[in-house]
Amino acid sequence: MRTTAVILAAGQGTRMKSNLPKVLHPLAGRPMVLHAIDLARAVSPEMPVLVIGHGAGQVRAIVGENARFVLQEPQLGTGHAVQQAESLLRLKTDLVLVFYADMPLLRPETLCALVETQTANPGPLTMLTLLADDPRGFGRILRNGQGNVIGIVEEAQATQEQKAIRELNAGAYCFRADWLWEALKRVPLSPKGEYYLTDTVGLAAADGLEVRALTLEDAEEAIGINTRIHLAEAEAIMRRRINERHMLNGVTIIDPHSTYIEAEVQIGRDTVIWPNTYLHGKTVIGESCTIGPNTIVRDTQIGNACKVLMSVLEGALLEDEVDMGPFARLRKGAHLCKGVHMGNFGEVKDSTLGPGTKMGHFSYIGNATIGPDVNIGAGTITCNYDGVRKHPTEIGEQAFIGSDTMLVAPVKIGARARTGAGAVVTKDVPDDTLAVGVPARAIKRLVQRPPEDSGAA
Ligand code: UD1
Ligand code: CA
């Protein structure tokens, strides 16, 4: 049976007290609405329909090609919201799976089970319920003496007796499409001035049709986000799920409570993540690495067997066996080739450090291309910016840059060249040449690599 998801995301989310539409608040680093879209796409190959209204332009821009949109204007309740999808879907789908964009913890397996249950139901709808002691303002499920579902009452309209009911409406439903479109026309206006989707349940029961309820085993899945307190609760649960997934895949997480990994991050087996580590965005980490403690990594690719200690990495690429930190910083376009060692208080941006190159202490390297096995002495700076433009620096293989060298770009240091401590290099230094002083002058042609005396490793 063709099943199409209709996701409701038009409400204002007043209780969030936010300028940002509720469904764009991030969870595990991704706007809530994208979690909802992923969920829909995991359940059905049909392109989901997203009902938008409040902040429609912003929501559309974030979702892009991943859904079809219908506009609900004004927003007259969840029943009215679903109705907006009728013209798009009438006769185009057998089942309509409705859920709210503010329930990011729902699992695809659960929605699949909901669809399956409805497929076997002679009646027109199946809904998801949960049993909980804390009602969280959810609608209460009404059942008759035989235990059949006969309606849902919203908290605002519930009597004291109904408020005590522990079976709650999770907010996900699977409808037979032809029945749904007709039923929505019969939904009455609620005392709050809205058309509630939940009233379709009472309509079906009143017609003597069978409503089935699937009860969640894990009530956590139903956490709907209405306030920022709920947002933090959901974030903690999502974080736990993500960490558990990585641990089951062979990653050691020393302290899951203080490890923050966003949804799309990938980590190879036998990697160890130490506490207070944040892995963001499209970060990919290889096998057998040690990351953290106290490390932030964003949109960065890290190879195998790397060590990153107390450092901040963003938009960088590390090949295998790179060892960095503590207190190192990689910015956009930093590329550390295999076996690079980068010690404390260094910063690299838009630069490549060749295989085996060492940069031990207090350096800034920007817009530079550095060959293999170069030694960058303590305090070396690429003076890459003249106030208007950035200029490149090139350093050839096995060069030895003395401590506190200023490389005034554009400038080239030849292969196996050396600079003396404190040199201010304003002109290119040829291969196999020693340059010293301010500004640096070439003073001698090097026959072979001299003993290491003018740089700190
Ligand atoms: C709703 C249910 C309640 C259920 C709870 C579960 C109704 C009437 N009530 O209450 O039974 O227990 O969810 O979390 O359905 N929306 C629109 N257009 C509108 C109104 C809402 O698109 O006109 C969207 C919202 O953006 C939101 C979703 O529908 O994503 C649910 O609306 P919300 O106001 O959060 O409903 P609840 O009060 O949580
Ligand atoms: Ca809600």
Side-chain angles (χ1 to χ4, degrees):
M1 273 207 249
R2 253 184 320 174
T3 304
T4 307
V6 173
I7 306 168
L8 306 193
Q12 191 183 351
T14 324
R15 291 163 280 182
M16 293 295 280
K17 309 246 169 83
S18 177
N19 296 331
L20 189 69
K22 174 165 83 175
V23 297
L24 295 187
H25 278 260
L27 266 168
R30 298 187 80 212
M32 212 186 291
V33 68
L34 295 185
H35 292 283
I37 303 268
D38 284 355
L39 190 60
R41 301 192 77 162
V43 174
S44 164
E46 301 290 327
M47 187 61 105
V49 175
L50 190 68
V51 183
I52 53 176
H54 183 80
Q58 278 169 280
V59 177
R60 210 188 268 264
I62 296 281
V63 173
E65 306 283 277
N66 296 305
R68 294 177 276 174
F69 300 95
V70 294
L71 193 65
Q72 184 198 19
E73 193 63 68
Q75 290 102 44
L76 299 178
T78 48
H80 178 252
V82 175
Q83 217 168 12
Q84 310 311 306
E86 181 186 346
S87 52
L88 195 65
L89 295 183
R90 179 170 268 280
L91 307 176
K92 302 259 171 58
T93 189
D94 304 304
L95 298 176
V96 179
L97 175 66
V98 179
F99 60 95
Y100 306 147
D102 69 352
M103 27 199 325
L105 298 171
L106 266 183
R107 291 191 167 91
E109 299 84 320
T110 303
L111 289 185
C112 287
L114 191 68
V115 172
E116 250 167 65
T117 307
Q118 176 52 30
T119 305
N121 183 8
L125 84 105
T126 301
M127 66 182 171
L128 198 62
T129 72
L130 67 146
L131 296 168
D133 291 327
D134 174 7
R136 302 177 72 94
F138 282 17
R140 311 295 204 273
I141 306 295
L142 307 178
R143 290 182 184 262
N144 65 14
Q146 287 83 58
N148 299 322
V149 175
I150 54 166
I152 301 178
V153 59
E154 290 304 307
E155 183 167 271
Q157 278 86 57
T159 63
Q160 278 314 320
E161 210 174 299
Q162 290 170 331
K163 278 189 183 148
I165 295 172
R166 290 175 58 249
E167 190 179 10
L168 312 174
N169 175 29
Y173 323 76
C174 187
F175 295 94
R176 223 177 55 213
D178 54 351
W179 183 86
L180 173 66
W181 309 128
E182 299 320 310
L184 285 172
K185 300 195 172 88
R186 295 190 282 139
V187 166
L189 195 62
S190 78
K192 239 186 98 190
E194 293 190 358
Y195 297 96
Y196 290 157
L197 179 63
T198 45
D199 283 343
T200 55
V201 175
L203 291 174
D207 289 348
L209 303 172
E210 186 175 344
V211 175
R212 291 195 178 167
L214 185 72
T215 304
L216 277 171
E217 275 164 38
D218 176 7
E220 254 177 19
E221 281 191 59
I223 288 187
I225 294 174
N226 296 329
T227 69
R228 297 197 199 224
I229 295 176
H230 301 151
L231 188 67
E233 275 177 327
E235 180 79 37
I237 293 167
M238 202 167 270
R239 183 158 69 233
R240 194 196 68 213
R241 285 189 188 173
I242 291 171
N243 287 346
E244 285 176 1
R245 169 165 56 84
H246 289 296
M247 291 188 279
L248 291 172
N249 284 341
V251 176
T252 293
I253 298 180
I254 303 288
D255 178 21
H257 294 286
S258 66
T259 304
Y260 303 79
I261 305 176
E262 288 183 354
E264 293 174 58
V265 172
Q266 297 173 37
I267 310 175
R269 61 196 290 167
D270 290 319
T271 283
V272 180
I273 312 286
W274 285 84
N276 199 29
T277 290
Y278 301 75
L279 306 177
H280 298 286
K282 303 205 180 308
T283 292
V284 179
I285 299 176
E287 298 186 357
S288 303
C289 295
T290 303
I291 310 291
N294 303 331
T295 292
I296 303 176
V297 185
R298 185 181 295 280
D299 298 327
T300 289
Q301 238 177 294
I302 299 181
N304 298 323
C306 291
K307 288 198 175 75
V308 180
L309 169 64
M310 296 213 249
S311 293
V312 178
L313 290 66
E314 185 164 6
L317 170 63
L318 278 64
E319 296 183 14
D320 297 346
E321 291 163 39
V322 167
D323 164 24
M324 64 181 287
F327 314 114
R329 172 139 191 239
L330 296 183
R331 294 167 60 202
K332 181 181 69 65
H335 176 177
L336 274 45
C337 296
K338 186 173 177 189
V340 162
H341 165 72
M342 179 173 169
N344 42 235
F345 305 109
E347 175 180 338
V348 176
K349 187 194 173 209
D350 278 324
S351 297
T352 298
L353 272 57
T357 283
K358 293 185 172 51
M359 166 176 157
H361 337 263
F362 311 104
S363 287
Y364 170 62
I365 301 295
N367 304 93
T369 308
I370 300 180
D373 298 316
V374 169
N375 193 322
I376 298 172
T380 296
I381 307 266
T382 52
C383 310
N384 61 328
Y385 186 50
D386 59 13
V388 184
R389 250 170 291 152
K390 301 275 172 67
H391 300 284
T393 299
E394 273 179 47
I395 303 180
E397 60 179 29
Q398 292 172 43
F400 189 93
I401 309 300
S403 290
D404 210 20
T405 296
M406 301 293 125
L407 298 160
V408 183
V411 72
K412 282 187 195 168
I413 308 290
R416 296 167 307 278
R418 295 172 65 99
T419 65
V424 176
V425 183
T426 56
K427 281 194 238 140
D428 293 354
V429 178
D431 294 351
D432 303 296
T433 301
L434 170 63
V436 300
V438 181
R441 325 164 264 121
I443 58 164
K444 129 165 124 182
R445 180 90 185 151
L446 299 163
V447 181
Q448 60 185 52
R449 205 159 180 230
E452 300 188 354
D453 55 3
S454 56

